[in-house]
Amino acid sequence: MVFKWLKQYMPRSLYARAALILVLPVVTLQLVVSVVFIQRHFEGVTTQMTQNVSRELDLLLGERTKQAPDLRQEQLADLLNITLRPVSPEMVPRENLRRWYDFSGLVVVRELNRLHAGILAIELPDDHLVRLFIETAGGPLEIRFDRNRVSAPNPHQLLVNMVFFSVLMTIIAYIYLRNQLRPITRLARAAEAFGRGRHLPYAPGGAIEVRAAGTAFLDMRARIERQIEQRTLLLSGVSHDLRTPLTRLKLGLALLEDEDRKPLERDVEDMGKLLDEFLSFARGASEGDPETIDPVEFITLIVDDSKRHGAQVTLGEMRGQGDIQIRPVAMRRAVENLINNAVRYGGRAEVSMVMTGKSLRIRVEDDGPGIPAERREEALRPFTRLDGARNQDKGPGVGLGLSIATDVARAHGGVLRLGESEKLGGLRADIVIAR
């Protein structure tokens, strides 16, 4: 809970998180090793080498302060590979000179200033030369010597090797990690496709744990498909068997007088409609094969067919273009159920569509009494009839219209949302699916 605020900055995908787990320890370890090595090795070695050169300078400057011949000092400077040159005060730099990335130069400047009180300036222009300006009894003196005498040569090689091998090992680890994560992404795609009503071929692979998860998914998918098939066969069989006595009733009612048979014929017709609803529910949301369609043309055709059957429905805003892959038979049944509910419980209905780059929204609105917000979730359950919210004198119904639409939306990886229509004042039903 202490690091809960870090969640918003963490990557969402599995590849990004795995890469972070891989790269973060490597980078941290390299930084720690580099800092420790630089402090213990480069700084220590540079300090020791600078102190040795400082002793040579003490010896050389000590000989210069003595009243010895200049030949003695020149000979000593030649032996120490140090160049001495008197300079005027105007030639002395006002401040030290060092490249910003020359970290060992910091140690050199610090140690020389600590060991020699008369130093005026120190210049480290490159990796080959050190210029030291020091005050002596005879005036300012420029001292030149090789940079390799105060610091280890090519200190940047450590950083170059560290970066090179870190990148190399990261690439190798990423290739191996991608091969390990590929079975997980395949499993995720198969599960997502099954959730949208599609059946992708999948075979378990990868590590033992991933294989176990893949096998469990296949078993689960087989059980769900078997359960759906059994439910469909059961309800289809019951509905088919009930049509036989209904047909006999129709034949028997045809022999009665007109005044007596009309109410009974209406009851038989209502029973037939109820059986049709049971069959629609039994078929489920996976009826038909997925197809790529134009949603504008698809919705327009449904509205035109509903008008021909006498429904008071109009076509609203149709925004967005493009194609989408859905099961047209199942989606058509869902939209028609929403239109029938809207026309049954309201005076008129309006169908609109909005498609973006990520989703498709099909909206059906009516001017009926609507459904209270606290009972909308209940209305989505099968065989639910909200007597207090919707009119019940508009014909038979078993409460499967919204449930079928909900199943179809879920089978397409979407959702059915109920709300209040701002345009017509009744119920607003939105089918939202991802593209």
Side-chain angles (χ1 to χ4, degrees):
M1 298 301 292
V2 179
F3 300 100
K4 187 177 181 180
W5 59 274
L6 287 175
K7 289 185 178 180
Q8 57 181 334
Y9 301 104
M10 298 297 292
R12 302 294 298 274
S13 66
L14 183 60
Y15 272 104
R17 292 188 177 186
L20 183 63
I21 295 174
L22 173 67
V23 172
L24 187 60
V26 173
V27 173
T28 304
L29 180 62
Q30 291 289 354
L31 289 177
V32 172
V33 171
S34 300
V35 171
V36 172
F37 185 83
I38 290 175
Q39 287 182 346
R40 301 298 181 185
H41 180 73
F42 281 115
E43 185 174 354
V45 170
T46 303
T47 300
Q48 184 177 359
M49 295 177 68
T50 304
Q51 291 175 354
N52 292 335
V53 172
S54 178
R55 296 188 186 98
E56 296 176 358
L57 293 177
D58 287 340
L59 177 63
L60 185 60
L61 294 176
E63 290 294 332
R64 183 176 180 84
T65 56
K66 294 180 181 179
Q67 299 300 322
D70 291 341
L71 182 60
R72 170 62 178 165
Q73 187 179 28
E74 293 176 359
Q75 291 177 345
L76 184 58
D78 291 339
L79 291 174
L80 296 176
N81 292 324
I82 297 176
T83 302
L84 300 177
R85 184 169 70 96
V87 295
S88 62
E90 292 78 12
M91 298 178 62
V92 178
R94 296 184 178 181
E95 58 182 10
N96 298 330
L97 174 65
R98 179 187 64 85
R99 293 168 297 176
W100 65 270
Y101 56 87
D102 188 0
F103 299 109
S104 61
L106 288 172
V107 181
V108 174
V109 173
R110 183 191 65 197
E111 291 298 316
L112 288 177
N113 284 320
R114 183 177 65 86
L115 297 173
H116 295 278
I119 293 180
L120 301 175
I122 301 174
E123 289 187 344
L124 305 173
D126 50 38
D127 294 331
H128 307 288
L129 179 65
V130 177
R131 288 199 295 265
L132 179 65
F133 297 88
I134 190 169
E135 184 68 38
T136 64
L141 185 66
E142 179 186 359
I143 302 176
R144 296 189 180 189
F145 53 87
D146 196 348
R147 173 65 185 270
N148 292 337
R149 300 182 62 180
V150 292
S151 61
N154 299 325
H156 63 280
Q157 289 182 356
L158 170 66
L159 299 178
V160 173
N161 291 331
M162 179 184 67
V163 172
F164 173 76
F165 286 104
S166 296
V167 172
L168 178 63
M169 296 306 298
T170 300
I171 294 175
I172 295 175
Y174 172 76
I175 295 174
Y176 176 78
L177 184 63
R178 185 183 61 177
N179 293 333
Q180 297 301 312
L181 294 179
R182 187 176 299 168
I184 300 178
T185 57
R186 290 178 50 246
L187 175 60
R189 285 195 296 267
E192 182 181 7
F194 181 66
R196 296 186 177 185
R198 300 195 301 269
H199 192 288
L200 289 183
Y202 170 76
I208 297 177
E209 294 80 3
V210 181
R211 287 177 179 269
T215 303
F217 165 74
L218 292 178
D219 294 340
M220 179 194 67
R221 186 171 68 177
R223 288 196 303 270
I224 294 176
E225 291 176 343
R226 186 165 56 251
Q227 180 182 7
I228 294 175
E229 182 180 0
Q230 291 174 352
R231 186 194 71 169
T232 303
L233 291 175
L234 173 63
L235 293 178
S236 298
V238 172
S239 301
H240 179 271
D241 292 340
L242 287 177
R243 288 187 182 278
T244 301
L246 283 177
T247 303
R248 290 199 297 265
L249 287 174
K250 288 181 180 180
L251 292 176
L253 291 174
L255 302 177
L256 297 179
E257 298 294 335
D258 292 342
E259 296 180 358
D260 297 331
R261 75 183 185 191
K262 288 183 179 181
L264 297 177
E265 285 180 345
R266 284 197 300 267
D267 292 339
V268 172
E269 184 180 356
D270 291 343
M271 294 178 65
K273 292 180 180 179
L274 294 178
L275 287 177
D276 291 337
E277 290 192 30
F278 277 114
L279 282 175
S280 297
F281 183 71
R283 295 188 189 103
S286 58
E287 183 181 4
D289 297 326
E291 299 179 14
T292 301
I293 61 144
D294 181 4
V296 176
E297 181 181 353
F298 178 72
I299 299 299
T300 303
L301 181 61
I302 294 177
V303 173
D304 292 341
D305 291 343
S306 298
K307 288 181 178 180
R308 283 195 297 269
H309 287 84
Q312 298 295 324
V313 57
T314 58
L315 195 64
E317 180 185 21
M318 307 293 285
R319 186 161 43 125
Q321 295 180 349
D323 296 333
I324 188 171
Q325 188 178 47
I326 60 174
R327 294 181 184 270
V329 177
M331 184 61 67
R332 182 185 181 92
R333 186 187 308 119
V335 177
E336 287 179 346
N337 283 344
L338 295 179
I339 294 176
N340 292 335
N341 281 352
V343 173
R344 179 190 302 273
Y345 302 116
R348 62 189 180 94
E350 180 178 292
V351 183
S352 59
M353 186 276 299
V354 174
M355 186 169 66
T356 63
K358 296 183 178 179
S359 65
L360 168 67
R361 189 203 70 196
I362 302 174
R363 172 171 292 179
V364 179
E365 302 177 84
D366 62 53
D367 58 352
I371 298 177
E374 64 274 8
R375 304 199 65 185
R376 289 169 186 165
E377 184 176 356
E378 179 184 357
L380 300 178
R381 300 172 185 170
F383 308 105
T384 298
R385 303 179 69 183
L386 305 179
D387 297 338
R390 309 283 273 175
N391 298 332
Q392 298 298 319
D393 56 352
K394 300 294 184 69
V398 292
L400 290 176
L402 293 179
S403 178
I404 293 174
T406 301
D407 290 342
V408 172
R410 289 176 178 172
H412 287 79
V415 65
L416 174 64
R417 299 171 181 169
L418 301 181
E420 183 178 355
S421 173
E422 298 179 357
K423 189 173 183 180
L424 300 181
L427 182 68
R428 184 192 69 221
D430 291 339
I431 296 179
V432 182
I433 60 176
R435 294 190 63 182

